[in-house]
Amino acid sequence: MTQAPARSAAGTASHQAIHAWLLLLPALVLLVSFTHWPAAATFIDSFFSTPKGSRPGVWVGAENYGAMAEDPVFWKAVINNLWFAGATIPLSIVLALVMALWVNERIAGRAFLRMAYFTPTVLPMIAVANIWLFFYTPQYGLLEQITGALGLPSHNWLGDQRTALACITLVAVWKEAGFFMIFYLAALQTLNPSLREAAAIEGASRWYFFRRVQWPLLMPTTLFVLINAVINGFRMVDHVFVLTRGGPDNASTLLLYHLYEVGFKFWDTAYASAITVVLLVVLASVALFQFFVLDKRVHYK
């Protein structure tokens, strides 16, 4: 008598498992086809030479990685990308948090401010770059008109090695801060209003309330935003392509733009595969560190 219910329960569990896998199958096929398999194929291609015409690629081992280690443009792109990420990540996160705290308050025109802050996010990357290209244009650009009105000399912002990367960094921060603000604003609106009332009764200042109450409760959101900011810091290519094309003299070349040039301009697909593998390993290592080390310091409600 006890075997029949046991078999029935096992059959139900088996049917549920099959049903679950069938539901996951479309997403699993897309994930393997467009993420895992291309990554594996790129890793394999990095150990072959670039096929040319009817001549197929041959096994060269770690030759592409050796060429990468001796490539001065690659190391210039690495240094530029570290500076770019080191500036955009904290600036965009801090600016997003400040904007979220402001528009979360009951102020006049709150809906308009939220829309204004979020508008750069919905604009296409190429459109944003062209808008800022007008701002930076020498002699008649908006920035030049402001500096001219102040009596300052004209300056080629995108044509100067000292300012080209900083100009791209400013555009990236302007583009990303509004996107991150939405996550912080959503997190702030989930906080219990009684926490603010209790802090007000106790006479706590706004800074103390933020530091002791809001900031710890926002840590899960900060971790999520940080992961996205790191990824965005190493995948920038649109703005570089439109604004500077990596110039002048590779002063604004970032890793992904250098990868684009190697793979699609010089058509050295094997070397581009090696750069891709290094970039994927670095991003995966940073993501794992954030998930397994920083996540332990995050307190979830």
Side-chain angles (χ1 to χ4, degrees):
M1 296 293 293
T2 58
Q3 293 182 353
R7 291 178 181 177
S8 178
T12 302
S14 176
H15 286 305
Q16 290 178 346
I18 294 174
H19 189 212
W21 280 107
L22 288 175
L23 291 174
L24 287 173
L25 185 61
L28 190 62
V29 169
L30 291 175
L31 186 65
V32 172
S33 300
F34 296 99
T35 301
H36 297 307
W37 169 245
T42 299
F43 178 73
I44 295 172
D45 290 342
S46 67
F47 294 100
F48 286 82
S49 64
T50 300
K52 297 181 179 179
S54 60
R55 187 181 65 183
V58 297
W59 176 268
V60 295
E63 183 177 321
N64 291 316
Y65 294 94
M68 185 193 311
E70 298 176 357
D71 185 4
V73 179
F74 169 77
W75 290 110
K76 179 66 174 178
V78 170
I79 295 174
N80 290 341
N81 220 139
L82 291 176
W83 279 107
F84 176 80
T88 56
I89 293 171
L91 287 177
S92 58
I93 292 177
V94 171
L95 184 59
L97 181 57
V98 171
M99 292 190 302
L101 289 170
W102 188 18
V103 298
N104 190 49
E105 300 291 335
R106 295 181 178 179
I107 57 176
R110 183 174 61 176
F112 175 77
L113 282 176
R114 291 179 179 179
M115 181 187 67
Y117 290 154
F118 188 69
T119 297
T121 302
V122 300
L123 295 176
M125 300 283 282
I126 300 299
V128 169
N130 278 284
I131 292 172
W132 281 87
L133 184 63
F134 167 72
F135 290 166
Y136 291 136
T137 301
Q139 297 181 356
Y140 62 86
L142 181 61
L143 190 58
E144 284 292 284
Q145 294 180 16
I146 295 175
T147 55
L150 297 175
L152 300 176
S154 178
H155 183 73
N156 188 355
W157 299 93
L158 297 177
D160 191 337
Q161 297 184 23
R162 298 169 298 178
T163 58
L165 186 59
C167 291
I168 296 177
T169 302
L170 179 61
V171 177
V173 172
W174 179 80
K175 183 80 167 63
E176 295 179 3
F179 178 67
F180 297 150
M181 180 206 69
I182 295 300
F183 297 102
Y184 275 122
L185 181 60
L188 287 170
Q189 291 179 346
T190 61
L191 299 183
N192 194 337
S194 62
L195 296 174
R196 181 184 293 273
E197 296 173 1
I201 293 174
E202 295 293 332
S205 63
R206 287 192 174 186
W207 168 246
Y208 186 87
F209 175 70
F210 168 76
R211 186 166 56 93
R212 291 295 187 179
V213 179
Q214 288 180 312
W215 177 244
L217 294 176
L218 290 175
M219 286 306 295
T221 304
T222 301
L223 178 62
F224 173 79
V225 168
L226 179 61
I227 293 172
N228 282 273
V230 171
I231 295 174
N232 293 341
F234 286 89
R235 69 179 184 90
M236 175 61 67
V237 65
D238 311 71
H239 295 167
V240 179
F241 184 84
V242 175
L243 293 173
T244 64
R245 295 185 180 269
D249 194 20
N250 296 313
S252 60
T253 297
L254 302 181
L255 269 175
L256 198 58
Y257 183 77
H258 179 55
L259 171 62
Y260 158 78
E261 282 197 317
V262 170
F264 296 97
K265 186 177 181 179
F266 306 121
W267 208 251
D268 191 351
T269 56
Y271 184 32
S273 298
I275 298 175
T276 303
V277 171
V278 171
L279 186 59
L280 288 177
V281 169
V282 171
L283 290 178
S285 302
V286 173
L288 290 175
F289 172 79
Q290 291 173 327
F291 272 117
F292 293 104
V293 177
L294 297 182
D295 188 62
K296 294 180 179 180
R297 302 177 180 272
V298 174
H299 301 282
Y300 296 91
K301 293 188 292 183

